[in-house]
Amino acid sequence: MSDRIAYLRERIASLDCDGFVSVHPPANQYMSGMLTSLDHVSSVIIVSATEARFLCDSRYTEQAQHQVRGFEVTQISGDQLTVGGETLKAMGLNRVVFDQNGHTVAEHNRLASAFGGELVPSETLVMQLRLTKDVDEARAVTEASELAESVLRDVVPTLKEGVRERDVAATIEFEMKKTGSIARCVPD
């Protein structure tokens, strides 16, 4: 995680900013190592030249203390976007870059209102980092692929005329969960 934080610090400086903020669950998971909810704001990460903070509410604090790497974990209460903006201000940050595809306009407005400083949009800050896999990521991709292949080896022979797609999807989902998958395997 320290390499990822160092990369962000370089990019922050190259954009003439003094911080980075994210409320995007996939980006926050990638940066911190901790999976929270993927469908709503569940954490805020802030990176400056000297600090890296992971803000979360009491639902995630204990998990964060065990899983988050490279960030100071802080339990917060109240609206995470508002507290995130207030934290940016309290850290003395003025010009903060964010991945613009990582939150809604309403979420952006709440963050901006609480911050009061300049939020600078970027389309690819964390995404650029995610494009190149390190050794651990390559190993995780290999393991996930092997898991999916083993499940499909078991499911494919059960496919017959008249079997509903929904039933096949449910079987795949069940088998993936049985073998350790943590995310949804079959989209709705």
Side-chain angles (χ1 to χ4, degrees):
M1 297 302 140
S2 62
D3 290 345
R4 295 174 186 176
I5 294 169
Y7 166 84
L8 271 183
R9 287 183 170 137
E10 289 174 15
R11 296 290 294 137
I12 290 166
S14 74
L15 295 167
D16 197 28
C17 293
D18 54 6
F20 168 81
V21 64
S22 173
V23 297
H24 189 227
N28 291 6
Q29 175 188 2
Y30 180 78
M31 291 302 301
S32 72
M34 182 176 141
L35 175 64
T36 58
S37 173
L38 291 176
D39 61 356
H40 65 277
V41 173
S42 50
S43 64
V44 180
I45 64 168
I46 299 171
V47 176
S48 72
T50 58
E51 296 181 72
R53 296 188 186 184
F54 182 94
L55 312 178
C56 61
D57 66 31
S58 60
R59 295 173 297 168
Y60 298 109
T61 305
E62 184 176 345
Q63 178 185 358
Q65 290 169 341
H66 295 289
Q67 294 180 356
V68 169
R69 296 180 305 276
F71 290 81
E72 173 190 328
V73 175
T74 304
Q75 181 175 313
I76 60 173
S77 61
D79 177 64
Q80 293 189 359
L81 292 150
T82 301
V83 175
E86 291 168 348
T87 303
L88 293 170
K89 185 188 306 184
M91 290 173 68
L93 303 177
N94 298 303
R95 187 171 151 81
V96 175
V97 64
F98 69 98
D99 279 333
Q100 66 187 14
N101 298 320
H103 55 270
T104 67
V105 172
E107 291 167 342
H108 175 81
N109 290 341
R110 290 197 333 259
L111 180 67
S113 177
F115 173 38
E118 183 181 359
L119 289 171
V120 179
S122 170
E123 287 189 17
T124 61
L125 210 53
V126 174
M127 186 57 70
Q128 284 295 334
L129 187 54
R130 293 178 69 180
L131 289 176
T132 304
K133 303 300 178 214
D134 63 26
V135 173
D136 291 334
E137 290 173 292
R139 184 176 24 256
V141 168
T142 300
E143 290 172 5
S145 176
E146 289 169 354
L147 173 74
E149 287 176 14
S150 74
V151 167
L152 288 175
R153 272 193 299 275
D154 294 340
V155 172
V156 169
T158 69
L159 299 177
K160 296 177 177 46
E161 186 176 329
V163 174
R164 295 182 314 166
E165 182 178 334
R166 172 176 293 202
D167 294 336
V168 173
T171 301
I172 291 171
E173 188 77 27
F174 176 73
E175 293 298 325
M176 293 293 283
K177 296 286 185 197
K178 241 175 43 175
T179 56
S181 176
I182 59 173
R184 283 200 49 88
C185 306
V186 181
D188 291 332

